[in-house]
Amino acid sequence: MIDAIIDVTPAYFAGFLMTLQLLAISGVCAFAVGVLVATMRISPVPSLRLFATVYTEVLRNVPLLLVLMFCALVVPILGSDLDYFPLALIGLTAYTSPFVAEAIRSGFNGVPVGQAEAARSVGMGFTQTVTLVVLPQAARMVVPPLINVFIALTKNTSVAGIFFVDELFKQTDAATRDNPGSVILVLIYAALLYLVITVPLGLIAGAIEKKVVVMR
Amino acid sequence: MSLNVLYDAPGPKTRRNSMIASIVGVILIVAFFFWMYLTLAAPRVNANGAVLPGTFDPSRWDILGRADLWLSFGIGTLNTLRMAAVAAVLAVLIGILFSFGRTSRFAVVRGVTGVVLEFVRGIPVLLMIFFVFLVFTAGSYWSGVFGLALYNGAIIGEALRAGVKSLPRGQREAGLAVGLTPLKAWALIEFPQAFRQMLPIILAQLVVLLKDTSLAFIVSYPELARTIGNNRNYFGSRYMFTLFVIGLVIYLALNLTMSWLARFVARRSGPRLGKALPNTPRQIGVDGTRAITLPGPGYGPPDPPH
């Protein structure tokens, strides 16, 4: 029993690091793209709004597995020679960014409309209203749902394991085959490693949420 | 009254600028798709020097007339729906159990439910399905169903709990005052209101569940995503793009229909703007009147992530 745990530890450690890398890089990229899409979504230019809406709707309604399948199996056919790791990063970023955008938009909508109206009535323009009045208030409310998006991303990195990235789930899959005697142990070990990332993030989100509620 | 408070109704100059920006945007997007089209259509030379036909070459689409192709996709779609339907019912039931456990009078029950909930919510669905498959040797269909039902049940449970918590205390107190037991007060007074209030969130989560049936791929359940893979093995990988497009269109059709249905039901039976209870956790403007941004097609509660 204990042997199995010791046996899989190096592979799990490598997989865990890979999962963290996937999370960090695609998290930052998805945040950047998400902010861009959210900005387009509220911008005064109709074509930008339309584009952002279509982008969000399409990507939110396609399973992550299909997005990553496109990256890993279709893109190489189209003549790209990217490695599976950057391909997985692109897929995770594309899939996560609409959720980031929606989290930001819901934060915007959480700011009482009177705030924006007051800003407009003292003569502020679009940019001033957004950057000086709405955004600072929305930022606090955006953080908890945004953390939830990143928790989901942490769990979603496991799908990259199906498509040839040696992250934690793929190592788990291999470990269950190498240690048929202690499958449960090996699986729970992997689950705990995921919990090491997701539970603290969840606690932070909960704490911030409480604070925001108190401030209102 | 302008729908959007963030900017004025555009004047002639702004309209012109916005028009120019729109045209430039459309040209850029069209150019991008045209470039994609050309890239896809261009014949490719593979490592051996052989020339492969472009993606839109008829030889890559000739399987579209094959009856067995459509039969396999039909079966795949049915399998996906079969799994989603059973898992959805189970998820709501498990959600009710979780919310009940979390609000129990006994600290032990609350504690145990809380730990189980954190565990279930914190690990990937993929790992959960795999876990059920290996540990309970449940077969690919039932491991997919139970994995999905457990995970989504945990999220629905939390939504229901938040719904019960947001009710005014008087609801429960009135129930107890007229002689209901705590269990009856919960089942007859608190739960029905919470369920109605949280219906939009629950439905959005069920759309997520439908999407996640694709993860049963890992236990070789022959659902839609697996069908793409199976057909690739059967017809050859040069049809991969074709098969992928078919799968994508079916998924989009299924999920967009479900999302639209969820929104429709949410609008009909969910809490109405301004009529909702005071502490309702909602995404729309806190003062309960209007939201800052325009109500686009994505209006309503945002989908829970994943």
Side-chain angles (χ1 to χ4, degrees), chain A residues 41-43 46-47 49 51 53 57 60-61 63 65-66 69-70 74 77-78 95 105-106 108-111 116-117 120 126 152 155-156 158 162 173 176 187 191 194-195 198, chain B residues 5-8 18 22 29 40 44 119 121-124 126 130 134 151 211 214 217 225 240-241 244 251 255-256 259 263 283 285-286 290-293 297-298 303 305-306:
Chain A
R41 197 91 197 247
I42 60 162
S43 78
S47 66
R49 277 206 302 269
F51 176 77
T53 310
E57 283 300 296
R60 273 203 316 181
N61 282 294
L65 191 97
L66 235 67
M69 186 189 262
F70 180 82
V74 179
I77 298 179
L78 303 182
Y95 181 80
R105 200 167 72 102
S106 75
F108 260 77
N109 285 340
V111 178
E117 280 169 349
R120 299 282 295 124
F126 171 73
K155 292 181 277 184
N156 284 342
S158 62
I162 301 180
D173 187 15
T176 52
L187 283 173
Y194 276 109
L195 290 174
T198 53
Chain B
V5 295
L6 289 179
Y7 37 82
D8 289 321
S18 153
S22 292
I29 291 169
L40 289 173
R44 268 176 299 280
F119 188 81
R121 275 202 311 178
I123 69 172
L126 199 59
F130 202 52
L134 289 181
Y151 175 78
K211 248 174 27 167
S214 63
F217 182 94
M240 183 62 204
F241 185 76
F244 180 82
Y251 263 121
N255 289 322
L256 285 173
S259 302
R263 264 178 218 147
Q283 303 296 342
V286 166
R290 279 178 293 144
I292 285 185
T293 61
D303 286 356
H306 198 80

Coordinates of all heavy atoms in Angstrom, one line a residue, chain A residues 41-43 46-47 49 51 53 57 60-61 63 65-66 69-70 74 77-78 95 105-106 108-111 116-117 120 126 152 155-156 158 162 173 176 187 191 194-195 198, chain B residues 5-8 18 22 29 40 44 119 121-124 126 130 134 151 211 214 217 225 240-241 244 251 255-256 259 263 283 285-286 290-293 297-298 303 305-306:
Chain A
R41 N -17.8 43.7 -25.1 CA -19.3 43.5 -24.8 C -20.0 44.7 -24.3 O -21.2 44.8 -24.5 CB -19.3 42.4 -23.8 CG -20.6 41.7 -23.6 CD -20.7 40.5 -24.5 NE -22.1 40.1 -24.6 CZ -22.6 38.9 -24.1 NH1 -21.8 38.1 -23.5 NH2 -23.9 38.7 -24.2
I42 N -19.3 45.6 -23.7 CA -20.0 46.8 -23.2 C -19.7 48.1 -24.0 O -20.1 49.2 -23.7 CB -19.7 47.1 -21.7 CG1 -18.2 47.4 -21.5 CG2 -20.2 46.0 -20.8 CD1 -17.9 48.1 -20.2
S43 N -18.9 47.9 -25.1 CA -18.4 49.1 -25.8 C -19.5 49.7 -26.6 O -20.5 49.0 -26.9 CB -17.3 48.7 -26.7 OG -17.8 48.1 -27.9
P46 N -21.3 48.8 -32.0 CA -22.2 47.6 -32.2 C -21.5 46.3 -32.7 O -21.7 45.2 -32.2 CB -23.3 48.0 -33.1 CG -23.3 49.5 -33.1 CD -21.9 49.9 -32.8
S47 N -20.6 46.5 -33.7 CA -20.0 45.3 -34.3 C -19.1 44.6 -33.3 O -19.0 43.4 -33.3 CB -19.2 45.7 -35.6 OG -18.1 46.5 -35.2
R49 N -19.6 44.6 -30.1 CA -20.6 43.9 -29.1 C -21.0 42.6 -29.7 O -21.0 41.6 -29.1 CB -21.8 44.8 -28.9 CG -21.5 45.8 -27.8 CD -22.9 46.2 -27.1 NE -23.8 46.7 -28.1 CZ -24.0 48.0 -28.4 NH1 -23.2 48.9 -27.8 NH2 -24.9 48.4 -29.2
F51 N -19.6 40.8 -32.1 CA -18.5 39.8 -32.2 C -18.3 39.1 -30.8 O -18.2 37.9 -30.7 CB -17.2 40.5 -32.6 CG -16.0 39.6 -32.7 CD1 -15.9 38.6 -33.7 CD2 -15.1 39.6 -31.6 CE1 -14.8 37.8 -33.7 CE2 -14.0 38.7 -31.6 CZ -13.9 37.8 -32.7
T53 N -20.4 38.8 -28.4 CA -21.5 38.0 -28.0 C -21.4 36.6 -28.7 O -21.6 35.6 -28.0 CB -22.8 38.7 -28.4 OG1 -22.8 40.0 -27.9 CG2 -24.0 37.9 -27.8
E57 N -21.0 33.1 -26.8 CA -22.1 32.1 -26.9 C -21.5 30.8 -27.5 O -21.8 29.7 -27.1 CB -23.2 32.6 -27.8 CG -24.1 33.6 -27.1 CD -24.7 32.9 -25.9 OE1 -25.5 32.0 -26.0 OE2 -24.5 33.4 -24.7
R60 N -19.0 29.0 -25.1 CA -19.6 28.5 -23.9 C -20.4 27.2 -24.2 O -20.7 26.5 -23.2 CB -20.5 29.5 -23.2 CG -19.7 30.4 -22.3 CD -20.6 31.1 -21.4 NE -21.8 31.6 -22.0 CZ -22.8 32.2 -21.3 NH1 -22.6 32.4 -20.0 NH2 -23.9 32.6 -21.9
N61 N -20.8 27.1 -25.4 CA -21.7 25.9 -25.7 C -21.1 24.8 -26.4 O -21.7 23.9 -26.9 CB -22.9 26.4 -26.5 CG -23.9 27.1 -25.6 OD1 -24.6 26.5 -24.8 ND2 -24.0 28.4 -25.8
P63 N -18.4 21.7 -25.7 CA -17.7 21.0 -24.6 C -16.1 21.2 -24.7 O -15.6 21.3 -25.8 CB -18.0 19.5 -24.8 CG -19.2 19.5 -25.7 CD -19.1 20.7 -26.5
L65 N -13.9 19.2 -24.1 CA -13.3 18.1 -24.8 C -13.1 18.3 -26.3 O -12.1 18.0 -26.9 CB -14.1 16.8 -24.5 CG -13.4 15.5 -25.0 CD1 -12.7 14.9 -23.8 CD2 -14.3 14.6 -25.6
L66 N -14.2 18.9 -26.9 CA -14.2 19.2 -28.3 C -13.2 20.3 -28.7 O -12.5 20.2 -29.7 CB -15.6 19.6 -28.8 CG -16.1 18.7 -29.9 CD1 -16.3 17.3 -29.4 CD2 -17.4 19.2 -30.5
M69 N -9.9 18.7 -28.5 CA -9.8 17.8 -29.6 C -9.4 18.5 -30.9 O -8.6 18.1 -31.6 CB -11.1 17.0 -29.8 CG -11.1 15.9 -30.8 SD -12.8 15.3 -31.1 CE -12.8 13.9 -30.1
F70 N -10.1 19.7 -31.0 CA -9.7 20.5 -32.2 C -8.3 20.9 -32.1 O -7.6 20.8 -33.2 CB -10.6 21.8 -32.2 CG -10.4 22.7 -33.3 CD1 -10.9 22.4 -34.6 CD2 -9.5 23.8 -33.2 CE1 -10.7 23.3 -35.7 CE2 -9.3 24.6 -34.3 CZ -9.9 24.3 -35.5
V74 N -7.1 18.3 -34.8 CA -7.4 18.9 -36.1 C -6.3 19.9 -36.5 O -5.9 19.9 -37.6 CB -8.8 19.6 -36.0 CG1 -9.1 20.3 -37.3 CG2 -9.9 18.6 -35.7
I77 N -3.4 18.5 -38.4 CA -3.8 18.2 -39.7 C -3.7 19.4 -40.6 O -3.4 19.3 -41.8 CB -5.2 17.6 -39.8 CG1 -5.2 16.3 -39.0 CG2 -5.6 17.3 -41.2 CD1 -6.6 15.6 -39.0
L78 N -4.0 20.6 -40.0 CA -4.0 21.8 -40.8 C -2.6 22.3 -41.0 O -2.4 23.4 -41.5 CB -4.8 22.9 -40.1 CG -6.3 22.5 -39.8 CD1 -7.0 23.6 -39.2 CD2 -7.0 22.1 -41.1
Y95 N -11.3 28.3 -24.2 CA -12.5 27.8 -23.5 C -12.8 28.7 -22.3 O -13.9 28.9 -21.9 CB -12.3 26.4 -23.1 CG -13.5 25.8 -22.4 CD1 -14.6 25.4 -23.2 CD2 -13.5 25.7 -21.0 CE1 -15.7 24.8 -22.5 CE2 -14.7 25.1 -20.4 CZ -15.7 24.7 -21.2 OH -16.8 24.2 -20.6
R105 N -18.6 40.8 -16.5 CA -19.8 41.5 -16.9 C -20.8 41.4 -15.7 O -21.5 42.4 -15.5 CB -20.4 40.9 -18.1 CG -21.4 41.7 -18.9 CD -21.7 41.2 -20.2 NE -22.5 40.0 -20.1 CZ -23.8 40.0 -20.4 NH1 -24.4 41.1 -20.7 NH2 -24.5 38.9 -20.3
S106 N -20.9 40.2 -15.1 CA -21.8 40.1 -14.0 C -21.4 41.0 -12.8 O -22.3 41.6 -12.1 CB -21.9 38.7 -13.5 OG -20.8 38.3 -12.7
F108 N -20.0 44.0 -13.3 CA -20.5 45.3 -13.7 C -21.9 45.5 -13.4 O -22.3 46.5 -13.0 CB -20.3 45.4 -15.3 CG -19.1 46.1 -15.6 CD1 -17.8 45.5 -15.6 CD2 -19.1 47.4 -16.1 CE1 -16.7 46.2 -15.9 CE2 -18.0 48.1 -16.4 CZ -16.8 47.5 -16.3
N109 N -22.7 44.4 -13.7 CA -24.1 44.5 -13.5 C -24.5 44.5 -12.0 O -25.6 44.9 -11.6 CB -24.9 43.4 -14.2 CG -24.9 43.6 -15.7 OD1 -24.8 44.7 -16.1 ND2 -25.1 42.5 -16.4
G110 N -23.5 44.1 -11.1 CA -23.8 44.2 -9.7 C -23.7 45.6 -9.1 O -24.1 45.8 -8.0
V111 N -23.0 46.5 -9.9 CA -22.9 47.9 -9.4 C -24.3 48.5 -9.6 O -24.8 48.5 -10.7 CB -21.8 48.6 -10.2 CG1 -21.7 50.0 -9.7 CG2 -20.5 47.9 -10.0
A116 N -23.7 54.6 -12.0 CA -23.4 55.0 -13.4 C -24.2 56.3 -13.8 O -23.7 57.2 -14.4 CB -23.6 53.9 -14.3
E117 N -25.4 56.3 -13.4 CA -26.3 57.4 -13.7 C -25.7 58.7 -13.1 O -25.7 59.8 -13.7 CB -27.7 57.2 -13.3 CG -28.5 56.3 -14.2 CD -29.8 55.8 -13.7 OE1 -30.0 56.0 -12.4 OE2 -30.6 55.2 -14.4
R120 N -22.7 59.8 -15.0 CA -23.1 60.4 -16.3 C -23.7 61.8 -16.1 O -23.5 62.7 -16.9 CB -24.1 59.5 -17.0 CG -23.6 58.1 -17.3 CD -22.7 58.1 -18.5 NE -23.4 58.5 -19.7 CZ -23.1 59.4 -20.5 NH1 -22.1 60.2 -20.2 NH2 -23.8 59.7 -21.6
F126 N -18.0 58.0 -21.4 CA -18.0 56.5 -21.2 C -16.8 56.0 -20.5 O -16.9 55.3 -19.5 CB -18.1 55.9 -22.6 CG -17.9 54.4 -22.6 CD1 -18.9 53.5 -22.1 CD2 -16.7 53.9 -23.1 CE1 -18.7 52.2 -22.2 CE2 -16.5 52.5 -23.2 CZ -17.5 51.6 -22.7
A152 N -12.5 26.2 -11.7 CA -13.0 25.4 -12.8 C -11.8 25.1 -13.7 O -11.7 24.0 -14.2 CB -14.1 26.1 -13.5
K155 N -9.6 22.3 -12.6 CA -10.2 21.0 -12.8 C -10.2 20.7 -14.3 O -10.0 19.5 -14.7 CB -11.6 21.0 -12.2 CG -11.6 21.0 -10.7 CD -13.0 21.0 -10.2 CE -13.6 22.3 -10.2 NZ -15.0 22.3 -9.5
N156 N -10.4 21.7 -15.1 CA -10.4 21.5 -16.6 C -9.1 21.1 -17.2 O -9.0 20.5 -18.2 CB -10.9 22.7 -17.3 CG -12.4 22.9 -17.1 OD1 -13.1 22.0 -16.8 ND2 -12.9 24.1 -17.3
S158 N -7.4 18.8 -16.4 CA -7.3 17.4 -16.4 C -7.7 16.9 -17.8 O -7.2 15.8 -18.2 CB -8.2 16.8 -15.4 OG -9.6 17.1 -15.6
I162 N -6.1 13.9 -21.6 CA -6.5 13.0 -22.6 C -5.8 13.2 -23.9 O -5.5 12.3 -24.7 CB -8.1 13.2 -22.9 CG1 -8.8 12.9 -21.6 CG2 -8.6 12.3 -24.0 CD1 -10.3 13.1 -21.7
D173 N -3.9 8.1 -14.5 CA -4.4 7.1 -15.4 C -3.3 6.0 -15.5 O -3.5 4.8 -15.3 CB -4.6 7.7 -16.8 CG -5.3 6.7 -17.7 OD1 -5.7 5.7 -17.2 OD2 -5.3 7.0 -18.9
T176 N -2.8 4.0 -12.1 CA -3.8 3.0 -11.8 C -3.5 1.7 -12.5 O -3.8 0.6 -12.1 CB -5.3 3.5 -12.2 OG1 -5.2 3.9 -13.5 CG2 -5.7 4.6 -11.3
L187 N -5.9 6.8 -6.6 CA -6.9 7.8 -7.1 C -7.1 8.9 -6.0 O -7.2 10.1 -6.3 CB -8.2 7.1 -7.4 CG -8.3 6.4 -8.7 CD1 -9.6 5.6 -8.8 CD2 -8.1 7.3 -9.9
A191 N -6.6 12.9 -6.2 CA -7.7 13.8 -5.8 C -7.3 14.8 -4.8 O -7.5 16.0 -4.9 CB -8.9 13.0 -5.2
Y194 N -5.3 17.6 -6.3 CA -6.2 18.6 -6.9 C -6.8 19.5 -5.8 O -6.9 20.8 -6.0 CB -7.3 18.0 -7.8 CG -6.9 17.6 -9.2 CD1 -6.7 16.3 -9.5 CD2 -6.7 18.6 -10.1 CE1 -6.3 16.0 -10.8 CE2 -6.3 18.3 -11.4 CZ -6.1 17.0 -11.7 OH -5.7 16.7 -13.0
L195 N -7.2 18.9 -4.7 CA -7.8 19.7 -3.6 C -6.8 20.7 -3.1 O -7.3 21.7 -2.6 CB -8.3 18.7 -2.6 CG -9.5 17.9 -3.0 CD1 -9.9 16.9 -1.9 CD2 -10.7 18.7 -3.2
T198 N -7.6 23.6 -5.3 CA -8.9 24.1 -5.4 C -9.5 24.6 -4.0 O -10.2 25.6 -4.0 CB -9.9 23.1 -6.0 OG1 -9.8 21.9 -5.3 CG2 -9.6 22.8 -7.4
Chain B
V5 N -26.9 53.1 -19.7 CA -26.6 54.4 -19.0 C -25.1 54.8 -19.2 O -24.7 55.8 -18.8 CB -26.8 54.3 -17.5 CG1 -28.3 54.1 -17.3 CG2 -26.1 53.2 -16.9
L6 N -24.3 53.9 -19.8 CA -22.9 54.2 -19.9 C -22.5 55.2 -20.9 O -21.5 55.9 -20.8 CB -22.1 52.9 -20.2 CG -22.1 51.9 -19.0 CD1 -21.3 50.7 -19.4 CD2 -21.5 52.5 -17.8
Y7 N -23.3 55.4 -21.9 CA -23.0 56.4 -22.9 C -24.3 57.0 -23.5 O -25.4 56.5 -23.4 CB -22.1 55.9 -24.0 CG -22.4 54.5 -24.4 CD1 -23.5 54.2 -25.3 CD2 -21.7 53.4 -23.9 CE1 -23.8 52.9 -25.7 CE2 -22.1 52.1 -24.3 CZ -23.1 51.9 -25.2 OH -23.4 50.6 -25.5
D8 N -24.1 58.2 -24.1 CA -25.3 58.9 -24.7 C -25.8 58.2 -25.9 O -25.0 57.4 -26.5 CB -24.8 60.3 -25.1 CG -24.6 61.2 -23.9 OD1 -25.3 61.1 -22.9 OD2 -23.6 62.0 -23.9
S18 N -18.6 55.2 -35.4 CA -18.9 53.8 -35.0 C -19.2 53.0 -36.2 O -18.8 51.8 -36.3 CB -20.2 53.9 -34.1 OG -20.9 52.7 -34.2
S22 N -17.2 49.7 -37.3 CA -18.0 48.5 -37.6 C -17.5 47.9 -38.9 O -17.3 46.7 -39.0 CB -19.5 48.7 -37.6 OG -19.9 49.1 -36.3
I29 N -12.8 40.7 -39.7 CA -13.3 39.3 -39.4 C -13.4 38.5 -40.7 O -13.0 37.3 -40.8 CB -14.6 39.4 -38.7 CG1 -14.4 40.0 -37.3 CG2 -15.3 38.1 -38.6 CD1 -15.6 40.4 -36.5
L40 N -7.3 26.3 -45.1 CA -7.9 25.0 -45.0 C -8.0 24.3 -46.4 O -7.9 23.1 -46.6 CB -9.3 25.1 -44.4 CG -9.3 25.4 -42.9 CD1 -10.8 25.7 -42.5 CD2 -8.8 24.3 -42.1
R44 N -1.9 20.2 -49.2 CA -0.7 20.2 -48.4 C 0.2 19.1 -48.8 O -0.2 18.0 -49.4 CB -1.1 19.9 -46.9 CG -1.3 21.2 -46.1 CD -1.7 20.9 -44.7 NE -3.0 20.2 -44.7 CZ -4.2 20.8 -44.9 NH1 -4.2 22.1 -45.0 NH2 -5.3 20.1 -44.9
F119 N -14.9 17.8 -1.1 CA -14.2 16.8 -1.9 C -14.7 16.7 -3.3 O -14.0 16.8 -4.3 CB -14.3 15.5 -1.1 CG -13.4 14.4 -1.7 CD1 -12.1 14.4 -1.4 CD2 -13.9 13.5 -2.5 CE1 -11.2 13.4 -1.9 CE2 -13.1 12.5 -3.1 CZ -11.8 12.4 -2.7
R121 N -16.7 18.8 -5.0 CA -16.6 20.0 -5.8 C -15.2 20.3 -6.2 O -14.9 21.0 -7.2 CB -17.1 21.2 -5.0 CG -18.6 21.3 -5.1 CD -19.0 22.7 -4.8 NE -18.3 23.2 -3.5 CZ -18.5 24.4 -3.1 NH1 -19.2 25.2 -3.7 NH2 -17.9 24.8 -2.0
G122 N -14.2 19.8 -5.4 CA -12.8 20.2 -5.7 C -12.0 19.4 -6.7 O -11.0 19.8 -7.1
I123 N -12.6 18.2 -7.0 CA -11.8 17.4 -7.9 C -12.4 17.4 -9.3 O -13.6 17.6 -9.5 CB -11.6 15.9 -7.4 CG1 -12.9 15.2 -7.4 CG2 -11.0 15.9 -6.0 CD1 -12.8 13.7 -7.1
P124 N -11.6 17.2 -10.4 CA -12.1 17.2 -11.7 C -13.2 16.2 -11.9 O -13.1 15.1 -11.4 CB -10.9 16.9 -12.6 CG -9.7 17.2 -11.7 CD -10.2 16.9 -10.3
L126 N -13.7 14.6 -14.5 CA -13.0 13.5 -15.3 C -12.5 12.5 -14.3 O -12.7 11.3 -14.4 CB -11.9 14.1 -16.1 CG -11.3 13.3 -17.2 CD1 -12.4 13.0 -18.2 CD2 -10.2 14.1 -17.9
F130 N -13.7 8.6 -13.6 CA -12.7 7.5 -13.6 C -12.7 6.8 -12.3 O -12.6 5.5 -12.3 CB -11.4 8.2 -13.8 CG -10.3 7.4 -14.4 CD1 -10.5 6.6 -15.5 CD2 -9.1 7.3 -13.7 CE1 -9.5 5.8 -16.0 CE2 -8.1 6.5 -14.2 CZ -8.3 5.7 -15.4
L134 N -13.4 2.8 -12.0 CA -12.4 1.8 -11.5 C -12.8 1.2 -10.1 O -12.6 0.0 -9.9 CB -11.0 2.5 -11.4 CG -10.3 2.8 -12.7 CD1 -9.0 3.5 -12.4 CD2 -10.2 1.6 -13.6
Y151 N -21.0 15.3 -9.1 CA -20.4 16.6 -9.2 C -21.4 17.7 -9.3 O -21.4 18.7 -8.6 CB -19.4 16.6 -10.4 CG -18.8 18.0 -10.6 CD1 -17.8 18.4 -9.9 CD2 -19.3 18.8 -11.6 CE1 -17.2 19.7 -10.1 CE2 -18.8 20.1 -11.8 CZ -17.7 20.5 -11.1 OH -17.2 21.7 -11.3
K211 N -23.0 19.3 -21.5 CA -21.7 19.5 -22.1 C -20.7 18.5 -21.6 O -19.9 18.0 -22.3 CB -21.2 20.9 -21.8 CG -21.2 21.8 -23.0 CD -20.9 23.2 -22.7 CE -20.0 23.5 -21.5 NZ -19.5 24.9 -21.5
S214 N -19.5 14.7 -22.5 CA -18.4 14.4 -23.4 C -17.2 13.8 -22.6 O -16.4 13.2 -23.2 CB -18.0 15.6 -24.2 OG -17.5 16.6 -23.3
F217 N -16.1 10.1 -22.5 CA -15.1 9.7 -23.5 C -14.0 8.8 -22.8 O -13.6 7.8 -23.4 CB -14.5 11.0 -24.0 CG -13.4 10.8 -25.1 CD1 -13.8 10.9 -26.4 CD2 -12.1 10.6 -24.7 CE1 -12.8 10.7 -27.4 CE2 -11.1 10.5 -25.7 CZ -11.5 10.5 -27.1
A225 N -18.7 12.6 -28.6 CA -17.3 12.9 -28.8 C -16.5 11.6 -29.2 O -15.7 11.6 -30.0 CB -16.7 13.5 -27.6
M240 N -10.9 13.5 -40.6 CA -11.0 14.1 -39.2 C -11.7 15.4 -39.2 O -12.6 15.6 -38.4 CB -9.6 14.2 -38.6 CG -9.6 14.7 -37.2 SD -10.4 13.6 -36.1 CE -10.8 14.7 -34.7
F241 N -11.3 16.3 -40.1 CA -11.9 17.7 -40.1 C -13.4 17.6 -40.3 O -14.2 18.2 -39.6 CB -11.2 18.5 -41.1 CG -11.7 20.0 -41.1 CD1 -11.2 20.8 -40.1 CD2 -12.6 20.4 -42.0 CE1 -11.7 22.1 -40.0 CE2 -13.0 21.8 -42.0 CZ -12.6 22.6 -41.0
F244 N -15.1 16.2 -37.3 CA -15.1 17.2 -36.2 C -16.2 18.2 -36.4 O -16.9 18.6 -35.5 CB -13.8 17.8 -36.1 CG -13.7 18.9 -35.0 CD1 -13.5 18.5 -33.7 CD2 -13.9 20.2 -35.3 CE1 -13.4 19.4 -32.7 CE2 -13.9 21.1 -34.3 CZ -13.6 20.7 -33.0
Y251 N -23.3 19.3 -31.3 CA -23.1 19.8 -29.9 C -23.7 21.2 -29.8 O -24.4 21.5 -28.9 CB -21.7 19.8 -29.5 CG -21.3 18.6 -28.7 CD1 -20.3 17.7 -29.2 CD2 -21.9 18.3 -27.5 CE1 -19.9 16.6 -28.5 CE2 -21.5 17.1 -26.8 CZ -20.5 16.3 -27.3 OH -20.2 15.2 -26.6
N255 N -26.7 22.2 -27.3 CA -26.4 23.0 -26.2 C -27.1 24.4 -26.3 O -27.6 24.9 -25.3 CB -24.9 23.2 -26.0 CG -24.3 22.0 -25.5 OD1 -24.8 21.2 -24.7 ND2 -23.1 21.7 -26.0
L256 N -27.1 24.9 -27.5 CA -27.8 26.2 -27.7 C -29.3 26.1 -27.4 O -29.9 26.9 -26.8 CB -27.5 26.8 -29.1 CG -26.1 27.4 -29.2 CD1 -25.9 27.8 -30.7 CD2 -25.9 28.6 -28.3
S259 N -29.7 25.8 -23.7 CA -29.5 27.1 -23.0 C -30.7 28.0 -23.2 O -31.1 28.6 -22.3 CB -28.2 27.8 -23.6 OG -27.1 27.0 -23.5
R263 N -33.1 29.5 -20.4 CA -33.4 30.9 -20.2 C -34.9 31.2 -20.3 O -35.4 32.0 -19.5 CB -32.7 31.7 -21.3 CG -31.4 32.2 -20.8 CD -30.7 32.9 -21.9 NE -29.3 32.7 -21.9 CZ -28.5 32.6 -22.9 NH1 -28.9 32.8 -24.1 NH2 -27.2 32.4 -22.7
Q283 N -27.6 38.2 -10.1 CA -26.5 38.8 -10.8 C -26.9 40.2 -11.4 O -26.1 41.0 -11.8 CB -26.1 37.9 -12.0 CG -25.7 36.5 -11.5 CD -24.4 36.6 -10.7 OE1 -23.7 37.5 -10.7 NE2 -24.2 35.5 -9.9
G285 N -28.5 44.0 -11.4 CA -28.3 45.2 -10.6 C -28.8 45.0 -9.1 O -29.9 44.6 -8.9
V286 N -27.9 45.4 -8.2 CA -28.2 45.1 -6.8 C -29.4 45.8 -6.3 O -30.2 45.3 -5.5 CB -27.0 45.5 -5.9 CG1 -27.4 45.5 -4.5 CG2 -25.9 44.5 -6.1
R290 N -32.5 47.8 -12.8 CA -32.0 47.6 -14.1 C -30.5 47.2 -13.9 O -29.9 47.5 -12.9 CB -32.1 48.8 -14.9 CG -33.4 49.0 -15.5 CD -33.4 50.3 -16.2 NE -33.3 51.5 -15.4 CZ -32.6 52.6 -15.7 NH1 -32.0 52.7 -16.8 NH2 -32.6 53.6 -14.8
A291 N -30.0 46.7 -15.0 CA -28.5 46.4 -15.0 C -27.8 47.4 -15.8 O -28.4 48.1 -16.6 CB -28.3 45.0 -15.6
I292 N -26.5 47.5 -15.6 CA -25.8 48.6 -16.3 C -25.6 48.3 -17.7 O -25.8 49.1 -18.6 CB -24.4 48.8 -15.6 CG1 -24.6 49.5 -14.3 CG2 -23.5 49.5 -16.5 CD1 -23.3 49.8 -13.6
T293 N -25.3 47.0 -18.1 CA -25.1 46.7 -19.5 C -26.4 46.3 -20.2 O -27.4 46.0 -19.6 CB -24.0 45.6 -19.6 OG1 -24.6 44.4 -19.0 CG2 -22.7 46.0 -19.0
P297 N -28.1 38.7 -25.7 CA -28.6 37.3 -25.7 C -28.2 36.5 -24.5 O -28.8 35.6 -24.1 CB -28.0 36.7 -27.0 CG -27.6 37.8 -27.8 CD -27.3 38.9 -26.9
G298 N -27.0 36.9 -23.9 CA -26.5 36.2 -22.7 C -27.1 36.7 -21.4 O -26.6 36.5 -20.4
D303 N -23.7 31.4 -16.7 CA -23.5 30.0 -16.5 C -22.5 29.8 -15.4 O -21.5 30.5 -15.4 CB -23.0 29.3 -17.8 CG -24.0 29.1 -18.8 OD1 -25.2 29.5 -18.5 OD2 -23.7 28.7 -19.9
P305 N -19.2 28.3 -14.0 CA -18.0 27.9 -14.7 C -18.0 26.4 -14.9 O -18.4 25.7 -14.0 CB -16.8 28.4 -14.0 CG -17.4 28.8 -12.6 CD -18.8 29.1 -12.8
H306 N -17.5 26.0 -16.0 CA -17.4 24.6 -16.4 C -18.8 24.0 -16.6 O -19.4 23.4 -15.7 CB -16.7 23.7 -15.4 CG -16.3 22.4 -16.0 ND1 -15.2 22.3 -16.8 CD2 -16.9 21.2 -16.0 CE1 -15.1 21.1 -17.2 NE2 -16.1 20.4 -16.8

